Amino acid sequence: MNLSPEMLTLVMFGGLLVGLFMGHPLAFVLGGVAVVGAYLGPGERVLGTIINNIYGNAMDNYVLVAIPLFVLMARFLNDSGVTEKMFEAMRLLLANLRGGLALTVVIVSVLLAATTGIVGASIAVMGMIALAPMLKYGYNKELSTGVIMASGCLGILIPPSIMLILMASYSPVSVGALFAGALVPGLLLGAMYALYVLVICLVKPAYGPPVPAEERANVSTGELLAMLAKYVLPPMTLILGVLGALFTGIATATEASAIGVGIAFLLFLIFGDRKLTTCFRTLIDASKTTAMVMLVLVGATAFTGVFSRGGGMTVISELVMAMPGGTTGALILMLFLVFLLGMFLDWTGIVLLSFPIMLPIVADMGVDVLWFVVMVAVVLQTSFLTPPFGYALFYLKGVAPKGVEIIDLYKAVIPFCALIVLACLLMAFFPVLITGLPSLLMDR
């Protein structure tokens, strides 16, 4: 059987959605649909070419070495226990402020995003140490859960991020330029979340009452400054060590990730339990995450390879270019498709599926590829928040206390998704927010 490109497009994407709704793992759905698509479209002989492409190109990419190292860095930092102590120090610092606990969540999540880059870990940790205190002090349930989920998702946007590394390996943009381009949008989103917390608690004081004065009085100013120096400065050292080495040109992304692992391991030795069993568990967890990413990479490479050989790329390109509004209309359609895919796929699958299709179109239109890639990264913030498969919803539901229902989480993400859309509009009208820092730091 030799399906037309149009029918092959419908069959492959339809099969992808059916497989996911049946609950099968993304990597195996992508690979399975690729095999079926090969027999229905370009023929089984194409599979040999696909296998050569997986081993000769996808798996031979030196940049991907940074992924297991950054994952290991995140695990060491998470197991060091410094996150809980950092949250406590920031909570006491902002105790007298309305919405101070929610603001603390944003600030600590931004620091975690720049040190761990793993959304699940950030949301689970903040959910366990911050949600119960916020509900205890009378914080609004939707504000409490929404700020934890949205702020936790910054881990895939603020560098160093394994998503940005994967994006760089599938685009003509260097890792350093992509890190620099995503830094300002990531911090901008964090600032918007913090401003939202301050405004909503000012307009509706009952949403975020201050911590009782007697609790703050139990810790002197000197003790608080000592806590800040002990528990906030070390993660900042990790951030500056990794990004500083990369932006100054001292190290490549892979080398910078190794520097990060070294610093994170030192923090684990200083603040962690230093048990061999903990180290072993850290290595196993990092290996599982790396294996998951690599399996999805193999499946997605097979899927896009068969899809391209079957003429699907041409179908999508013609559809996008036929959009009314010219280049603007085409860009809006592509970003909207990324948003829709985010409801059903995780970011790994979306990047590996969309980049081979969209980036050639973007380059042909004369659009700055760096700007587009960062815009996709910002839109992918919603992939963790939007039902039915928003992973942040399930991460937080798994650690939330009784009384927090899934419908509460669905309502909680609405204002934060609106803020993400607003950030996209700002970057569309002011591209310098993305391109300014890379042009200052490096020759792209």
Side-chain angles (χ1 to χ4, degrees), residues 83-354:
T83 303
E84 292 85 347
K85 298 178 178 69
M86 181 168 58
F87 177 82
E88 181 64 16
M90 295 302 302
R91 182 182 78 85
L92 292 173
L93 179 66
L94 302 174
N96 297 328
L97 189 66
R98 287 196 178 275
L101 276 175
L103 192 59
T104 299
V105 169
V106 177
I107 295 172
V108 173
S109 294
V110 168
L111 292 173
L112 286 178
T115 51
T116 64
I118 298 179
V119 169
S122 297
I123 293 176
V125 169
M126 295 309 299
M128 288 186 289
I129 67 176
L131 184 54
M134 282 196 284
L135 297 179
K136 170 188 172 184
Y137 290 123
Y139 273 62
N140 175 266
K141 189 186 300 182
E142 282 77 25
L143 175 64
S144 304
T145 55
V147 77
I148 290 174
M149 290 186 290
S151 300
C153 293
L154 292 172
I156 64 166
L157 181 60
I158 296 177
S161 158
I162 60 172
M163 184 185 77
L164 297 178
I165 295 170
L166 194 64
M167 285 180 159
S169 69
Y170 271 72
S171 72
V173 182
S174 70
V175 175
L178 193 51
F179 276 14
L183 183 59
V184 173
L187 295 177
L188 174 64
L189 262 183
M192 291 173 71
Y193 296 161
L195 184 62
Y196 170 74
V197 167
L198 292 174
V199 170
I200 196 71
C201 291
L202 179 65
V203 175
K204 299 180 178 180
Y207 271 42
V211 173
E214 58 272 13
E215 185 171 337
R216 169 64 181 86
N218 291 332
V219 179
S220 67
T221 302
E223 290 173 331
L224 178 58
L225 291 176
M227 291 176 65
L228 292 172
K230 186 176 180 180
Y231 301 123
V232 178
L233 287 183
M236 293 298 295
T237 303
L238 178 61
I239 297 169
L240 295 176
V242 174
L243 297 184
L246 187 61
F247 290 159
T248 57
I250 296 174
T252 65
T254 306
E255 293 162 348
S257 64
I259 294 171
V261 170
I263 298 174
F265 183 64
L266 288 176
L267 293 180
F268 171 77
L269 292 179
I270 295 170
F271 297 105
D273 59 18
R274 297 182 290 278
K275 294 180 180 178
L276 286 178
T277 53
T278 305
C279 285
F280 180 74
R281 187 183 70 245
T282 298
L283 293 172
I284 293 298
D285 289 344
S287 300
K288 288 179 180 178
T289 302
T290 302
M292 179 272 295
V293 173
M294 293 303 166
L295 279 174
V296 174
L297 188 151
V298 170
T301 302
F303 184 97
T304 54
V306 172
F307 186 66
S308 177
R309 293 292 292 271
M313 297 290 194
T314 304
V315 173
I316 299 296
S317 177
E318 290 175 351
L319 173 65
V320 171
M321 298 307 291
M323 275 293 293
T327 299
T328 302
L331 290 172
I332 291 174
L333 174 62
M334 286 188 283
L335 292 174
F336 183 66
L337 288 175
V338 170
F339 172 78
L340 288 180
L341 287 172
M343 295 182 178
F344 306 100
L345 302 178
D346 67 2
W347 64 264
T348 316
I350 296 171
V351 170
L352 296 175
L353 285 176
S354 63

Side-chain angles (χ1 to χ4, degrees), residues 157 178 181-182 185 369-379 427 434:
L157 181 60
L178 193 51
V369 176
L370 170 62
W371 175 85
F372 179 78
V373 171
V374 175
M375 286 290 285
V376 170
V378 175
V379 173
M427 288 180 286
I434 295 173

